[in-house]
Structures are given as C-alpha cells and as structure tokens.
Amino acid sequence: MVARHDLTTDPELLAALLQARRGTAFFARKLNELSDSDLDGASLLPGWTRRHVTAHIGYNARAVARLIEWAATGVETPMYPSPEVRNHEIEFGATLSPIALRHLFDHSAVHLNVEWRDLPEDAWRHTVRTAQGREVPASETVWMRSREVWMHAVDLDNGASFRDIPVAVLERLLLDITGAWKARGTDKGLAVKVTDRDLAFGDTASVDATVVTGTLAAIVEWAAGRGDGGVTAVAPGTGAARTAPAAPKWI
Ligand code: ZN
C-alpha cells in the first residue's frame, strides 16, 4: 500500500521536506510563467539557456531519486554514472520540445516526492554517495534538492531573486559556500559581513582583508557567483570603497 503521508515522523526532516517541496513549487511557478519561446532565452548561468536549467532540475530529481532507491534497497545506484553522462544528459534535455521539457520537470519532481514519502524511517539514515563523492545519510538528499530548486529558480532569470528564498535556506547555503572556501583556503584576505543577521565569515580576524558587506540575500547572491549588485566592499588599510571582488568558487 502506498502511504499518503511521509513515513518519517522526524520533525526536523519533515521541516526540511516542506522546504524542498516549497522550493519545487516555487521553481514550477517561475517555469510556468515562461512561454515556450522564453525557454530559449539565456539563464543567469554562463552558456546555459533556461532549457538547460530546466533539464538540469529534471534530471537532478531523477538522480536524487536514485539515491533514495539506493537507501531503500541497499542496491548501489549512483546519481550519475559519470560527470560526462550528467553533462551530456543536460545537453540532450535542453533540445527537448517545450512540452517534453515541462513534463520532464513535472514527472521527475512527482517521482522524487513519492520516493521521499515512502522511504521508511530507518532508511533515511542509510549511507549514499553524492555526485561529488561525499558519503551522506539519505536525509541529506533533501537539502541537496532544496538548494537546487531554490537557487536555479533565480537562475531562470524571470523575476525570482535571492530575497524570495527563505532565510533558513539562505543561511545554510552561506554555510555550505563559506565552508567550501575555508576547506580550500580560498577565503584568505576576504571577510564577509551579513548586516541583517549579525553573521560574519572568512578572514574576519585579519586587518588586511577586503570586507564585503550586505544583507543575507545580497551576500548569498554574491557568494554564489550570481552578481554583486547588493553588496558593498571596502579595501584593507585605506578603508576605501571598492568594487566587490569575485567570490571564490564553491562547487
Ligand atoms: Zn545545479
């Protein structure tokens, strides 16, 4: 029998699932606002049209669903056989007819949702491996998906902004991004201050750091490499305003 509700009763996980589902609904809304010919237009991602973004989100749902099947059955099914296959799949998906592309998004999202809903409580703790090779509990897939749908809705470039993304999602995104910088040591000489949340990251102890300041939404937009329109930057020493440096890579 198929459950009508999530099998997990973990409140934290249920909250995360709600956030991912809201993000999917948000992406769906922005996608539905685009006409078929709008899909040919550029996204915020270099070299990608809105078709590429939509195909990527569809195939990402399928890839995440494979991890949930892995957690449920114990039979290893990776997200993608290789990075080349992943990229090729997106290139192919981008050539689909508008209706096929919209179906890909809809059906893959529904399928993933069913996989999540029907995953038994204990299986959420089973270990799976991300496309980057990280070993994580199946519960991590909820954040992996959440991050994709919220951020790529902005990448469709038809009106969504980082200010539309829930604060909890922005905060976790910033932790992911600044954590990646720290792990690679690419945040040397760079301090980040979030004005509306009393948060600071990076080389905050150094007097030789360039300080980038902005609201949480503006800082995440800049840190994710999506634009520096909302942030201000101050050069070390002189305290003079300067244009914000490009944020270090994080993926
Ligand atoms: Zn992505």
Side-chain angles (χ1 to χ4, degrees), residues 48 56-57 60 86 148 152:
W48 271 19
H56 165 50
I57 283 294
N60 170 264
R86 171 195 174 274
E148 290 296 304
H152 287 315

Side-chain angles (χ1 to χ4, degrees), residues 27 48-61 80 89-96 101 104-105 108:
F27 187 94
W48 271 19
T49 65
R50 290 163 172 150
R51 291 170 153 278
H52 289 88
V53 173
T54 306
H56 165 50
I57 283 294
Y59 293 127
N60 170 264
Y80 306 100
E89 192 175 48
I90 294 168
E91 286 301 330
F92 164 76
T95 68
L96 290 172
L101 204 50
L104 169 64
F105 166 75
S108 61

Side-chain angles (χ1 to χ4, degrees), residues 175-192:
L175 279 180
D176 278 12
I177 295 170
T178 54
W181 295 347
K182 204 180 175 69
R184 293 173 194 173
T186 50
D187 60 355
K188 297 273 176 296
L190 185 64
V192 176

